[in-house]
């Protein structure tokens, strides 16, 4: 994996449009100030909001079968029965 290019705080200020365009295009940067690494500028993952019927059907065919009884047992095993109402204080 290649190292992220470093940019100075000054470059970030003076070339913000070009840098933001690069981030939008998938590029990551390490930001430095006075020669010290202070942060990373990374693109956000984009979530797909739509899955076609064909894709959903294909994924469903290969999905494992679910047992409702096992699912409920897992929920019961992990749920804390002593949780109180967080709004009752």
């Amino acid at each position: 994996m290649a190292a992220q290019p470093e940019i100075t705080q000054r470059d970030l200020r003076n070339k913000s449009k070009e840098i933001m365009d690069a981030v939008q295009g998938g590029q990551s940067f390490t930001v430095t100030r006075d020669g010290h690494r202070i942060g990373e500028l990374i693109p956000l993952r984009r979530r797909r909001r739509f899955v076609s019927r064909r894709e959903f059907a294909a994924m469903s065919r290969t999905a494992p079968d679910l047992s409702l009884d096992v699912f409920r047992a897992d929920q019961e095993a992990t749920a804390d029965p002593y949780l109180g109402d967080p709004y009752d204080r």
Side-chain angles (χ1 to χ4, degrees):
M1 187 163 99
Q4 297 175 167
E6 290 188 355
I7 56 172
T8 64
Q9 178 183 3
R10 179 177 290 160
D11 285 340
L12 181 57
R13 183 182 65 236
N14 293 336
K15 300 176 184 177
S16 64
K17 181 190 181 330
E18 294 89 348
I19 292 169
M20 290 299 151
D21 288 345
V23 171
Q24 187 174 14
Q27 178 67 55
S28 298
F29 296 94
T30 299
V31 181
T32 63
R33 180 179 0 172
D34 298 326
H36 301 287
R37 299 171 74 199
I38 62 168
E40 293 181 348
L41 191 56
I42 59 172
L44 295 175
R45 288 188 308 179
R46 292 188 180 174
R47 287 188 158 165
R48 284 180 51 183
R49 294 186 181 262
F50 176 78
V51 176
S52 72
R53 182 178 290 192
R54 177 179 288 154
E55 287 177 286
F56 180 79
M59 290 185 290
S60 298
R61 281 192 291 275
T62 60
D65 290 335
L66 295 177
S67 164
L68 188 54
D69 293 330
V70 172
F71 178 73
R72 286 186 177 149
D74 285 345
Q75 283 184 317
E76 288 296 321
T78 58
D80 185 353
Y82 302 107
L83 283 178
D85 184 352
Y87 300 104
D88 183 30
R89 296 190 184 229

